[in-house]
């Protein structure tokens, strides 16, 4: 694949790698990745940065085109030293990595995506992207920058207990759109098994039970699948994207 490289100046900048001919794609795959020396370069098992980057690059390669914005926002924008200090506090004092930052007098996350958004919109002329992320902040930043976003989840296997805990904290404390960790514990097999079970129980309830019970069973099953299934967030975002499409004027063809 042809790769073009641009530097993105600014405090929240970095580099952009443009793979293949994104001009031919209506909504190219985009990964906005904040530098993580431990995860990306040293393949640390403690976070999901390395697996997320690997999966994003695999998907861009399969699509034959895409954009990687690699931002110099190490340690959620606080730098490598604060990150190391945060990890030490987290491991010794039982904090998670977010509350460790707060205990050290920092904000949990300093990162900004304004410069990245402007680069996509102004330098690359993108008005619509498929964003590889679990982070709602990135989706919001692009949408505020008038870029239509279809979120593509990155579901990675945690490589250790610590990575699993880290991802669970991301999900519960920072609102990252990750499946609950029970999903990983039970494994990928559980997904089709669970859905089959849900459909079977519902069908049996409709056939055997009195009508109100059957309706209640159906609603309960839908609620369980909604709460549990990893695709649930993308359904919600897709509905939001449709709402946006209905309420906004049609997007002009991007000029580059
Ligand atoms: Zn990391």
């Amino acid at each position: 694949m042809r790769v073009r490289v641009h530097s993105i100046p600014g405090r929240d900048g970095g580099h952009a790698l443009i793979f293949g001919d994104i001009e031919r794609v209506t909504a190219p795959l985009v990964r906005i990745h904040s530098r993580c020396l431990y995860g990306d370069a040293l393949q640390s098992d403690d976070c999901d940065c390395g697996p997320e980057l690997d999966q994003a690059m695999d998907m861009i390669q399969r699509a034959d085109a895409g954009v990687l914005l690699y931002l110099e926002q190490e340690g959620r924008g606080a730098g490598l030293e604060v990150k190391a200090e945060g990890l030490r506090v987290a491991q010794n004092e039982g904090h998670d990595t977010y509350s460790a930052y707060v205990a050290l007098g920092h904000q949990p996350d300093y990162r900004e995506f304004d410069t990245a958004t402007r680069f996509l919109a102004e330098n690359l002329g993108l008005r619509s992207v498929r964003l590889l992320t679990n982070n709602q902040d990135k989706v919001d930043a692009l949408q505020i920058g008038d870029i239509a976003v279809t979120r593509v989840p990155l579901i990675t296997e945690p490589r250790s207990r610590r990575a699993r805990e880290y991802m669970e904290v991301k999900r519960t404390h920072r609102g990252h759109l990750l499946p609950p960790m029970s999903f990983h514990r039970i494994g990928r097999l559980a997904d089709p098994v669970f859905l089959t079970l849900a459909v079977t129980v519902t069908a049996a309830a409709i056939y055997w039970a009195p009508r109100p019970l059957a309706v209640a069973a159906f609603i309960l099953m839908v609620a369980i699948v909604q709460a549990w299934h990893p695709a649930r967030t993308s359904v919600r975002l897709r509905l939001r994207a449709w709402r946006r499409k209905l309420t906004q004027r049609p997007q002009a063809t991007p000029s580059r």
Side-chain angles (χ1 to χ4, degrees):
M1 243 192 294
R2 188 170 66 122
V3 184
R4 287 168 283 166
V5 183
H6 292 270
S7 66
I8 307 172
R11 195 171 47 81
D12 55 345
H15 285 88
L17 298 181
I18 298 141
F19 297 90
D21 294 324
I22 55 163
E23 291 80 3
R24 291 183 184 184
V25 188
T26 321
L29 287 173
V30 172
R31 170 67 187 163
I32 300 176
H33 192 88
S34 301
R35 173 191 166 101
C36 173
L37 180 71
Y38 298 146
D40 300 341
L42 305 181
Q43 298 290 302
S44 164
D45 284 348
D46 284 358
C47 62
D48 59 340
C49 307
E52 278 195 332
L53 184 60
D54 286 349
Q55 197 179 97
M57 295 317 299
D58 284 348
M59 290 168 86
I60 286 175
Q61 189 168 23
R62 274 201 297 275
D64 261 340
V67 180
L68 169 68
L69 301 189
Y70 194 80
L71 305 180
E72 296 296 329
Q73 303 202 83
E74 177 73 66
R76 297 196 294 269
L80 187 58
E81 288 178 351
V82 172
K83 175 169 156 174
E85 190 74 348
L87 285 171
R88 186 184 62 77
V89 169
Q91 283 164 24
N92 293 349
E93 296 174 24
H95 282 286
D96 62 64
T97 55
Y98 290 96
S99 66
Y101 266 38
V102 176
L104 289 167
H106 293 281
Q107 285 175 31
D109 197 338
Y110 286 104
R111 289 177 301 167
E112 287 173 9
F113 304 107
D114 302 349
T115 304
T117 304
R118 271 200 306 281
F119 182 85
L120 292 171
E122 291 168 15
N123 294 59
L124 302 184
L126 295 175
R127 289 288 168 269
S128 180
V129 300
R130 285 184 296 146
L131 190 65
L132 295 156
T133 191
N134 304 319
N135 187 345
Q136 184 65 38
D137 289 350
K138 293 178 185 173
V139 175
D140 291 344
L142 265 59
Q143 286 180 336
I144 289 167
D146 222 15
I147 297 174
V149 179
T150 305
R151 188 178 78 87
V152 180
L154 285 174
I155 308 295
T156 59
E157 278 303 319
R159 294 198 286 205
S160 69
R161 181 185 51 82
R162 278 220 287 268
R164 191 158 55 221
E165 286 166 4
Y166 174 68
M167 289 160 76
E168 187 66 358
V169 168
K170 269 183 166 181
R171 185 178 80 83
T172 53
H173 288 56
R174 306 295 299 167
H176 283 220
L177 306 163
L178 287 159
M181 283 304 112
S182 54
F183 173 75
H184 294 286
R185 282 201 202 98
I186 298 164
R188 289 173 190 280
L189 180 71
D191 199 27
V193 169
F194 189 86
L195 285 175
T196 309
L197 192 71
V199 170
T200 311
V201 168
T202 308
I206 289 169
Y207 189 77
W208 295 105
R211 189 52 51 88
L213 259 183
V215 171
F218 179 73
I219 290 169
L220 184 68
M221 275 302 160
V222 170
I224 291 172
V225 170
Q226 272 294 305
W228 198 76
H229 196 269
R232 75 199 187 285
T233 47
S234 63
V235 170
R236 185 164 58 81
L237 285 169
R238 213 161 289 156
L239 284 173
R240 196 199 286 175
W242 282 339
R243 265 206 308 276
R244 273 174 67 91
K245 221 177 264 180
L246 287 175
T247 52
Q248 279 186 349
R249 59 188 160 67
Q251 301 282 358
T253 313
S255 58
R256 295 186 182 88

